């Protein structure tokens, strides 16, 4: 069974650009959540999607957005990039409706560097 | 509101000696608690989880954790460290709120294993 796949693994952008990251969950998993990991702030929850609907959202500005497709694949977009957006962006999927009751299966992340 | 405090940012042990990684949590409701491990440039992998069943939880690779409600702690232990245990460890609390669940991550503990 394939794990959670995130693409691209590494990317470099400049300030003001936008970026789209992709996440393919484990087959059968309908919940996909996104996280930002930085040395300064640690791991922070961005948002969660279930059945193409955003169900939860963390405390991030509107420049961070996402969506989920009917096949449960998800994308997140960051517009007007800032230097502080440099981070490892992790995606996780779960088979359970709620995040707490089920194990989160993480991808290996997309490392974004903003110059 | 919920929060997680990992009491040590770094723990250094010798191979073959016991490991103790400490985690305290704060939650208004009965939480689900998790420990995840992250190796360099990888995603997070679940070690174990507590979801209101047995208070002593056994996980993968010889790790276990004990849920102590009176102390609001969920410390991770292993009797004998192995070189391959060197990694970053995250304690996570997740609580139901209005039908939704949002995980809160600790800042992480870096486990260093000396030969």
């Amino acid at each position: 069974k394939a794990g959670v796949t995130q693409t691209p693994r590494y990317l470099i952008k400049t300030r003001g650009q936008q970026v789209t990251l992709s996440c393919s969950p484990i087959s059968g998993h309908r919940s996909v959540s996104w996280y930002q990991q930085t040395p300064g702030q640690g791991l922070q929850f961005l948002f969660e999607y279930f059945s193409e609907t955003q169900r939860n959202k963390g405390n991030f500005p509107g420049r961070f957005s996402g969506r989920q497709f009917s096949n449960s694949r998800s994308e997140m977009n960051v517009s007007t990039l800032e230097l502080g957006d440099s981070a490892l962006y992790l995606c996780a999927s779960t088979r359970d409706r709620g995040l707490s009751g089920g194990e989160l299966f993480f991808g290996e992340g997309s490392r974004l560097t903003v110059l | 509101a919920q929060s997680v405090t990992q009491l040590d940012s770094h723990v250094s042990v010798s191979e073959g000696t016991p490991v103790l990684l400490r985690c305290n949590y704060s939650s208004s409701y009965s939480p689900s608690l998790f420990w995840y491990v992250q190796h360099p440039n990888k995603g997070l992998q679940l070690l174990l989880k507590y979801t209101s069943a047995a208070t002593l939880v056994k996980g993968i690779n010889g790790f276990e954790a004990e849920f102590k409600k009176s102390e609001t702690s969920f410390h991770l232990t292993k009797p004998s460290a192995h070189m391959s245990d060197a990694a970053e460890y995250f304690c996570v609390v997740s609580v139901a709120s209005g039908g939704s669940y949002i995980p809160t991550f600790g800042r992480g503990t870096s486990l260093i294993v000396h030969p």
Side-chain angles (χ1 to χ4, degrees):
Chain A
K1 199 172 188 180
V4 177
T5 303
Q6 291 189 245
T7 56
R9 289 291 316 279
Y10 302 90
L11 65 166
I12 300 173
K13 294 286 187 178
T14 57
R15 280 182 298 175
Q17 288 186 312
Q18 73 163 9
V19 65
T20 299
L21 309 178
S22 179
C23 173
S24 293
I26 291 172
S27 178
H29 287 192
R30 296 168 63 191
S31 170
V32 174
S33 50
W34 289 88
Y35 306 85
Q36 182 194 63
Q37 185 176 25
T38 61
Q41 299 299 318
L43 268 160
Q44 296 185 88
F45 170 78
L46 279 158
F47 29 65
E48 183 227 355
Y49 286 86
F50 180 84
S51 292
E52 302 179 63
T53 301
Q54 187 181 86
R55 192 165 58 178
N56 288 298
K57 190 176 190 305
N59 189 25
F60 278 82
R63 299 185 298 107
F64 292 81
S65 63
R67 60 178 174 168
Q68 187 179 33
F69 302 95
S70 58
N71 61 357
S72 294
R73 189 178 71 85
S74 178
E75 290 181 347
M76 68 162 284
N77 183 77
V78 187
S79 62
T80 318
L81 284 166
E82 302 176 358
L83 294 178
D85 297 333
S86 294
L88 180 66
Y89 289 89
L90 291 164
C91 163
S93 72
T94 180
R95 66 174 71 87
D96 293 323
R97 180 170 173 77
L99 294 181
S100 69
E103 172 184 355
L104 290 172
F105 293 82
F106 284 85
E108 295 197 332
S110 292
R111 184 166 295 282
L112 170 65
T113 301
V114 182
L115 302 177
Chain B
Q2 63 215 40
S3 65
V4 180
T5 302
Q6 291 184 241
L7 297 166
D8 306 290
S9 59
H10 297 85
V11 169
S12 182
V13 300
S14 296
E15 190 175 21
T17 64
V19 175
L20 170 63
L21 305 182
R22 299 181 295 166
C23 172
N24 285 353
Y25 70 92
S26 172
S27 173
S28 302
Y29 304 97
S30 297
S32 293
L33 294 161
F34 306 82
W35 276 99
Y36 286 84
V37 61
Q38 184 180 32
H39 289 92
N41 298 314
K42 298 290 186 183
L44 280 68
Q45 178 187 18
L46 181 72
L47 281 176
L48 48 80
K49 63 181 178 182
Y50 167 78
T51 54
S52 73
T55 56
L56 182 62
V57 182
K58 293 188 183 299
I60 62 171
N61 300 335
F63 285 95
E64 63 180 38
E66 186 172 7
F67 173 70
K68 292 187 176 180
K69 186 175 181 178
S70 60
E71 299 177 10
T72 61
S73 69
F74 190 57
H75 301 335
L76 181 70
T77 60
K78 183 174 181 178
S80 177
H82 191 272
M83 294 296 292
S84 61
D85 294 327
E88 191 83 11
Y89 291 78
F90 293 93
C91 182
V92 182
V93 62
S94 189
V95 174
S97 176
S100 299
Y101 302 87
I102 299 177
T104 301
F105 295 81
R107 294 304 301 268
T109 298
S110 177
L111 176 62
I112 302 160
V113 182
H114 298 286

